[in-house]
Amino acid sequence: MPSLSFERIAESYDQTRGGEERGAAFASGIRPWLPRQGSILEVGVGTGAVALALRQDGLDVLGVDLSPGMLVRAAERLGPRVAVADAQLLPIATGTMAGAYATWVLHVVADPGGALAEVARVLRPGGAFVAILSTPTQLVTDVDRLLRSMQARLRGKRADMPDRIISLAAAAGLELTGRADIANEVHGTVPTEVVERIHDRTYSVLWDLDDAIWQAEVEPTVAALRALPEPDRARVHQDHYPLLAFRRSATGP
């Protein structure tokens, strides 16, 4: 499976993924794990919402992403500090980055082990890498339990569960230095709106499904969402996501 580009939803990404509010929440969790001095690379910078908050905190952040459309918006926030590139082939010289991070990226990369090896390559010895994974540590609402269960089944080998990422990182020469849960913004999830997003294929896991898989995996979830009590009521909650912090070993993998 190839890496996923978010080009098709570049115009609506911020509206459906939290925009600068979520970017600031994630940046506040990432910041303590990154060095103050030296250049920081965001792998999968998207529209630049996280990088903007870190730049405003004084960090020297640059970013890469597969999607030119997403990078148009990132450049508006960050200036000429972004480039089109694959996480598995970073256009960065070896050993030049003081730190790097990736938020909600490793589950859409074709080869997360290869991407982690590239991160290790571009980091200085002792450089820091932070990954925020995509599945909440707890599924609080009835809506999320249904949606996330469907996504987990469809992702299969793409799942970015902490133990898997830690193992792949170790093979790449990245030593685990810390773990945390990172909270995003408080928000409301409405069953009927989630159904609309499913039918619009807003979620990346739905983009390339054939009709048979759609009928087998997606339609039962849509039916269950519609059957929830008070389907037009927002479930207000705050998700927490796994954060993993690593350090590039001096000797490499």
Side-chain angles (χ1 to χ4, degrees), residues 152-171:
R153 294 193 303 273
L154 292 173
R155 280 180 182 169
K157 293 181 179 180
R158 285 192 185 270
D160 58 348
M161 303 307 292
D163 288 349
R164 179 183 183 226
I165 299 304
I166 291 169
S167 176
L168 292 173

Side-chain angles (χ1 to χ4, degrees), residues 43 86-90 106 109 111-120 172 174:
V43 180
D86 194 310
Q88 299 160 151
L89 189 62
L90 297 172
L106 294 175
V109 173
D111 178 11
L116 291 166
E118 272 291 89
V119 167
L174 296 168

Side-chain angles (χ1 to χ4, degrees), residues 13 24 28 30 38-39 46 50 55 57 71 78 85 106 124 126 138 147 150 157-158 161 174-175 184 204-205 248:
Y13 184 86
S28 67
I30 292 169
S39 296
V50 178
R55 287 282 298 275
D57 194 33
L71 290 178
L78 308 175
L106 294 175
R124 301 171 184 170
Q138 290 184 307
L147 178 62
M150 178 192 74
K157 293 181 179 180
R158 285 192 185 270
M161 303 307 292
L174 296 168
E175 303 169 347
N184 72 350
S204 60
V205 74
R248 183 190 182 278

Side-chain angles (χ1 to χ4, degrees), residues 29 49 67 71 78-79 117 128 146 155-156 158 169 186 191 209 211 217 224 229:
S67 165
L71 290 178
L78 308 175
L146 289 169
R155 280 180 182 169
R158 285 192 185 270
V186 176
L209 297 185
D211 291 343
E217 295 290 350

Side-chain angles (χ1 to χ4, degrees), residues 11-244:
E11 292 186 2
S12 63
Y13 184 86
D14 282 349
Q15 290 79 9
T16 59
R17 267 57 170 197
E20 291 185 11
E21 184 177 2
R22 179 170 292 172
F26 281 9
S28 67
I30 292 169
R31 176 64 195 89
W33 303 95
L34 294 175
R36 172 63 65 177
Q37 301 298 322
S39 296
I40 306 295
L41 174 67
E42 180 170 2
V43 180
V45 70
T47 62
V50 178
L52 174 66
L54 291 172
R55 287 282 298 275
Q56 291 171 338
D57 194 33
L59 271 65
D60 177 27
V61 183
L62 57 152
V64 296
D65 200 278
L66 274 178
S67 165
M70 297 279 275
L71 290 178
V72 168
R73 287 147 186 85
E76 292 171 353
R77 289 177 167 136
L78 308 175
R81 303 283 292 167
V82 297
V84 177
D86 194 310
Q88 299 160 151
L89 189 62
L90 297 172
I92 306 290
T94 298
T96 56
M97 294 290 108
Y101 66 94
T103 64
W104 289 0
V105 168
L106 294 175
H107 66 291
V108 293
V109 173
D111 178 11
L116 291 166
E118 272 291 89
V119 167
R121 179 186 66 78
V122 305
L123 286 175
R124 301 171 184 170
F129 173 61
V130 183
I132 297 178
L133 308 185
S134 64
T135 301
T137 56
Q138 290 184 307
L139 301 178
V140 178
T141 73
D142 50 2
V143 180
D144 274 358
R145 285 191 287 273
L146 289 169
L147 178 62
R148 297 293 182 171
S149 177
M150 178 192 74
Q151 290 174 328
R153 294 193 303 273
L154 292 173
R155 280 180 182 169
K157 293 181 179 180
R158 285 192 185 270
D160 58 348
M161 303 307 292
D163 288 349
R164 179 183 183 226
I165 299 304
I166 291 169
S167 176
L168 292 173
L174 296 168
E175 303 169 347
L176 184 70
T177 57
R179 303 176 67 155
D181 286 347
I182 182 169
N184 72 350
E185 81 287 358
V186 176
H187 63 287
T189 306
V190 182
T192 52
E193 292 179 358
V194 171
V195 168
E196 290 179 6
R197 289 181 180 181
I198 289 174
H199 283 151
D200 291 341
R201 301 203 183 213
T202 300
Y203 306 108
S204 60
V205 74
L206 304 176
W207 289 347
D208 299 319
L209 297 185
D210 60 32
D211 291 343
I213 295 177
W214 187 275
Q215 289 295 326
E217 295 290 350
V218 180
E219 289 300 337
T221 299
V222 167
L225 286 165
R226 285 175 169 158
L228 290 175
E230 301 179 274
D232 294 315
R233 175 179 60 84
R235 277 68 166 165
V236 178
H237 61 113
Q238 184 177 36
D239 293 321
H240 290 73
Y241 295 90
L243 180 150
L244 304 176

